[in-house]
């Protein structure tokens, strides 16, 4: 386990270094430089010309973008209800993993972990 923790530490530090490099690049490079580089690379890789302006135009278009599925739930609240399965998975997964892999002492006792998980997930899913 100590070897795993050491590797995980180095990967975490590598990720932090990558984020630091990204922030520095974002602070140093101008918007016009980004646009010209973006257009040059998309022209080279995909053959698109002036793709930055095309992306902005498509983002405002009504023909391209997200189209809600014709599921039986309607209205603004209905579309939010479609997120409940994803939220349940997102909120239940860490608790389920601890019971499977024994990462937390006593987590294999479902009598204690199930009410804790339900009390954490229930209000969050009902009142987003």
């Amino acid at each position: 386990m100590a070897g795993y923790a050491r590797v995980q530490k180095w990967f975490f530090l590598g990720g932090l270094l990558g984020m630091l490099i990204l922030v520095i690049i974002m602070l140093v490079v101008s918007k016009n430089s980004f646009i010209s580089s973006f257009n040059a690379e998309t022209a080279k890789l995909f053959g698109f010309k002036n793709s930055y302006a095309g992306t902005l135009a498509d983002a405002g278009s009504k023909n391209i973008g997200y189209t809600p599925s014709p599921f039986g739930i309607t209205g603004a609240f209905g579309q939010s209800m479609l997120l409940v399965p994803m939220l349940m998975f997102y909120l239940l997964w860490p608790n389920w993993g601890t019971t499977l892999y024994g990462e937390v002492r006593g987590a294999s006792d479902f009598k204690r972990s199930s009410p804790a998980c339900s009390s954490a997930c229930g209000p969050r899913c009902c009142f987003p």
Side-chain angles (χ1 to χ4, degrees):
M1 193 66 164
Y4 168 75
R6 215 170 308 145
V7 170
Q8 186 178 22
K9 175 184 163 188
W10 283 107
F11 279 126
F12 180 74
L13 292 174
L16 282 178
L17 179 66
M19 285 299 295
L20 180 66
I21 291 170
L22 179 70
V23 168
I24 290 171
I25 289 173
M26 288 174 62
L27 290 173
V28 172
V29 176
S30 69
K31 182 178 178 181
N32 292 331
S33 174
F34 171 78
I35 292 172
S36 64
S37 298
F38 186 83
N39 287 334
E41 290 302 317
T42 53
K44 189 184 339 176
L45 293 172
F46 306 112
F48 297 139
K49 294 185 180 180
N50 200 13
S51 59
Y52 185 81
T55 302
L56 293 179
D58 287 345
S61 172
K62 298 290 182 186
N63 298 328
I64 297 174
Y66 172 72
T67 305
S69 63
F71 196 64
I73 304 171
T74 59
F77 183 69
Q79 293 300 317
S80 297
M81 289 303 292
L82 294 175
L83 293 173
V84 169
M86 188 274 305
L87 284 173
M88 290 297 289
F89 177 78
Y90 172 77
L91 294 169
L92 286 172
W93 182 254
N95 199 350
W96 180 252
T98 58
T99 61
L100 290 177
Y101 304 117
E103 294 178 1
V104 177
R105 173 172 270 171
S108 62
D109 186 7
F110 285 104
K111 291 179 185 175
R112 281 187 275 158
S113 65
S114 295
C117 187
S118 299
S119 63
C121 296
R124 181 66 189 137
C125 291
C126 294
F127 304 107

